[in-house]
Amino acid sequence: MMPAARESLLDAAYTALARRSWSAVRMVDVAAAAGVSRQTLYNEFGSKEGLARALVRREADGYLAGVERALATHSDARDRLTATAEWTAALARDNALVRAMLTGCWSERLPSPTLSAVPSTSAVPAQRRADGPLPSPGDFVAMVRDRAVVVISGPGPGPGPGNGTSKADLADLARSCELVVRLALSCVAAPPGEGGVAELVRSALQRQLAG
């Protein structure tokens, strides 16, 4: 199957999930909405569980791609971290699957695939990846923190982050990045007022620097 057709099926599943609980989403309806046969859908994803894993994997990838964009938008470290926190809170507010992945709180209306890898016999590379481990909230914290450290510390001559950055400075930067990520996740669980995420991040970073 062409990747575009797989995306169409995932789009159809996402749209169906926005309208009804996952338990009420029917594979035949997803296939019809994407304009393919039900057999084609099963050939691509294997099962409804496989479709759920692929949907969660895609939304996780979309979130992390947004983190990359947020980090690349600014040159100042605080602005980069603020943009990352704002992206996290905004997407989680609008995307129930991302919110569940980041908080670990899966409502009954959502699919809740196991985060550990499942046996996969799929011939589809994208599905084999979806059948692999799915990120936990802690995994997201580590991935976003580590990516932020690499981007903010700049390219170095070796495989590690930093261009002559000391280990102590990198450790401080990692703490700041993790603080921001965890603060963003707290805003997902308990959203602040309008514009509150940026203010919370800047205040937290200012306190940490002052300390």
Side-chain angles (χ1 to χ4, degrees), residues 123-203:
V124 180
Q127 189 58 39
R128 289 201 299 273
R129 180 168 180 260
D131 290 337
L134 297 173
S136 68
D139 292 332
F140 279 112
V141 170
M143 285 187 288
V144 176
R145 176 201 64 210
D146 292 348
R147 186 58 194 149
V149 168
V150 169
V151 172
I152 292 171
S153 63
N163 187 4
T165 307
S166 71
K167 288 185 178 180
D169 287 342
L170 283 175
D172 287 342
L173 177 57
R175 281 192 290 272
S176 294
C177 292
E178 181 161 338
L179 169 67
V180 169
V181 176
R182 292 190 180 280
L183 188 58
L185 295 186
S186 73
C187 291
V188 169
E194 185 71 23
V197 177
E199 184 178 343
L200 286 172
V201 168
R202 292 193 180 102
S203 296

Side-chain angles (χ1 to χ4, degrees), residues 34-98:
V36 303
S37 69
R38 185 171 60 170
Q39 187 57 50
T40 298
L41 174 58
Y42 278 102
N43 289 345
E44 184 70 18
F45 298 101
S47 64
K48 189 177 180 183
E49 169 72 8
L51 176 61
R53 294 187 71 85
L55 186 57
V56 168
R57 181 75 261 177
R58 184 182 75 161
E59 299 309 305
D61 289 345
Y63 165 66
L64 293 172
V67 167
E68 291 281 356
R69 289 192 300 271
L71 289 169
T73 301
H74 305 278
S75 56
D76 179 76
R78 293 189 197 187
D79 290 341
R80 282 173 161 169
L81 291 174
T82 301
T84 300
E86 289 182 312
W87 161 252
T88 297
L91 186 63
R93 182 179 61 245
D94 298 335
N95 188 315
L97 280 174
V98 170

Side-chain angles (χ1 to χ4, degrees), residues 6-31:
R6 183 179 176 89
E7 284 299 305
S8 294
L9 285 164
L10 291 171
D11 288 342
Y14 185 88
T15 299
L17 181 60
R19 296 171 178 166
R20 60 186 72 92
S21 67
W22 183 248
S23 62
V25 172
R26 301 193 308 161
M27 295 286 272
V28 64
D29 295 334
V30 172

